[in-house]
Amino acid sequence: MTSAVTVSVVRLPHGADLPLPSYATAHAAGMDLHAALEAPVTLEPGAWGLIPTGLAIALPDGYEAQVRPRSGLAAKNAVTVLNAPGTIDADYRGEVKVILINHGQAPFVIEHGMRIAQMLIAPVTRAVWAEVADLSETERGAGGFGSTGTTTL
Ligand SMILES: O=c1ccn([C@H]2C[C@H](O)[C@@H](COP(=O)(O)OP(=O)(O)OP(=O)(O)O)O2)c(=O)[nH]1
Ligand SMILES: [Mg+2]
């Protein structure tokens, strides 16, 4: 059994009729987020929008929530999360919103209750700096951005 953390949640009035996000299968990593809309929203080709979920949450200290695309929307409609993965900070108390972009060639209509993205809860590691004059040497060194080539052989 995967461990679970308790996340406080408030359902805002415009999402009061929607179910809380839930895991679609026994071992799903993400909970699907629903659009909480007073009226349908149309994203024209190339357009993006901030889509409300009707939820405000309080994560435990040491955790974040990540807002990620749903592959079905991407594969079928070229609709994805513009800032993926979106970051929800543990100290954020505003409404969770999803920045959706329509990369497709047809308008995409978002209806109230539509499952538009998924949210993962993940532990956060914070860093402290150790400023030094030189970094340790490695085989890679400063090579990057394709320095190892692109062929499989
Ligand atoms: O997809 C997202 C991304 C962010 N947020 C909320 C929660 C997050 O804690 C807050 C700030 O997000 P971020 O740090 O990514 O945005 P910013 O542009 O740096 O804004 P800020 O200056 O408020 O940190 O906005 C969302 O609701 N959805
Ligand atoms: Mg920020």
Side-chain angles (χ1 to χ4, degrees):
M1 172 64 186
T2 314
S3 63
V5 292
T6 301
V7 179
S8 301
V9 60
V10 170
R11 251 187 287 200
L12 301 169
H14 54 283
D17 60 322
L18 297 174
L20 288 174
S22 61
Y23 297 99
T25 62
H27 299 285
M31 296 180 270
D32 287 342
L33 292 170
H34 302 263
L37 301 171
E38 313 274 359
V41 170
T42 300
L43 292 180
E44 298 295 334
W48 65 91
L50 205 50
I51 311 300
T53 65
L55 300 173
I57 66 174
L59 293 156
D61 183 26
Y63 289 87
E64 62 157 338
Q66 300 175 0
V67 179
R68 298 195 196 169
R70 292 188 70 203
S71 63
L73 287 181
K76 290 181 199 147
N77 304 100
V79 168
T80 188
V81 176
L82 179 57
N83 59 327
T87 304
I88 311 297
D89 300 289
D91 53 1
Y92 179 67
R93 296 293 178 269
E95 181 173 10
V96 174
K97 295 186 180 177
V98 177
I99 309 173
L100 275 190
I101 183 164
N102 180 6
H103 286 299
Q105 290 165 351
F108 183 74
V109 180
I110 306 163
E111 310 270 2
H112 180 66
M114 188 182 276
R115 288 181 288 144
I116 53 170
Q118 58 186 317
M119 186 170 76
L120 277 78
I121 309 299
V124 168
T125 302
R126 296 188 72 174
V128 291
W129 293 112
E131 193 169 6
V132 294
D134 297 294
L135 300 173
S136 62
E137 289 187 12
T138 67
E139 189 182 339
R140 172 179 288 276
F145 315 102
S147 68
T148 63
T150 52
T151 60
T152 52
L153 298 176

